[in-house]
Amino acid sequence: PSTNHITSRKRKEDLEVCHVILGELEAHRDSWPFLEPVDRAKLPEYFRVVKKPMDFQTIRCKLRDGRYSCREAFASDSRLVFSNCLFYNEDQSKIGMAGHSMKNFFEKRWSELNR
Ligand SMILES: CO[C@H](O)CCc1ccc(O)cc1
């Protein structure tokens, strides 16, 4: 089969993995700080320090709009959610602890689905 046939099957497999993981991230009990973009009106200073804000709703829209070329691009945005959180919040804060929990959950599931 031609290479683009292979790449399109690989791309379909990649997108399925992303849908599975994103669904689990959204359903996780500790996902609450990350479900929607940080509110620029409520927290303007957040956008002065966090250069690349990211959240699960934005990732869902990008996935739906076919804006992830491969599973690694999806993983990169997912990891951005957690690195932003741990940059902005103390480790022992409620949101900091949620960030650690979600990062650990993501990396565990990511390694399981990419074995
Ligand atoms: C994903 O949430 C962001 O890290 C902002 C966290 C935050 C929001 C309100 C506050 O009073 C403090 C931290």
Side-chain angles (χ1 to χ4, degrees):
S2 67
T3 51
N4 60 18
H5 166 71
I6 293 170
T7 50
S8 66
R9 189 180 67 229
K10 167 79 172 58
R11 192 164 184 282
K12 190 170 173 296
E13 288 161 4
D14 275 19
L15 294 178
E16 277 158 15
V17 167
C18 298
H19 271 104
V20 167
I21 292 226
L22 183 55
E24 293 176 8
L25 293 174
E26 291 167 334
H28 195 289
R29 60 169 295 147
D30 296 331
S31 65
W32 52 273
F34 316 111
L35 292 173
E36 294 180 348
V38 173
D39 187 330
R40 197 177 283 269
K42 287 185 191 144
L43 216 57
E45 70 275 10
Y46 181 84
F47 295 86
R48 282 198 286 278
V49 291
V50 176
K51 293 307 164 201
K52 291 173 69 179
M54 189 48 65
D55 65 280
F56 296 157
Q57 184 182 83
T58 301
I59 293 174
R60 173 65 68 186
C61 292
K62 288 178 72 170
L63 192 56
R64 191 174 286 146
D65 297 347
R67 287 165 52 205
Y68 288 119
S69 53
C70 63
R71 68 176 71 187
E72 288 311 323
F74 165 84
S76 174
D77 267 359
S78 300
R79 289 175 173 132
L80 185 56
V81 174
F82 312 129
S83 57
N84 286 345
C85 175
L86 298 179
F87 166 74
Y88 191 77
N89 303 280
E90 297 290 332
D91 285 341
Q92 294 310 315
S93 66
K94 277 195 178 308
I95 293 186
M97 289 188 289
H100 279 293
S101 169
M102 292 306 300
K103 174 177 173 43
N104 292 340
F105 177 77
F106 172 80
E107 296 300 348
K108 175 175 178 293
R109 292 294 290 132
W110 188 253
S111 63
E112 287 166 355
L113 290 181
N114 284 277
R115 220 166 255 155

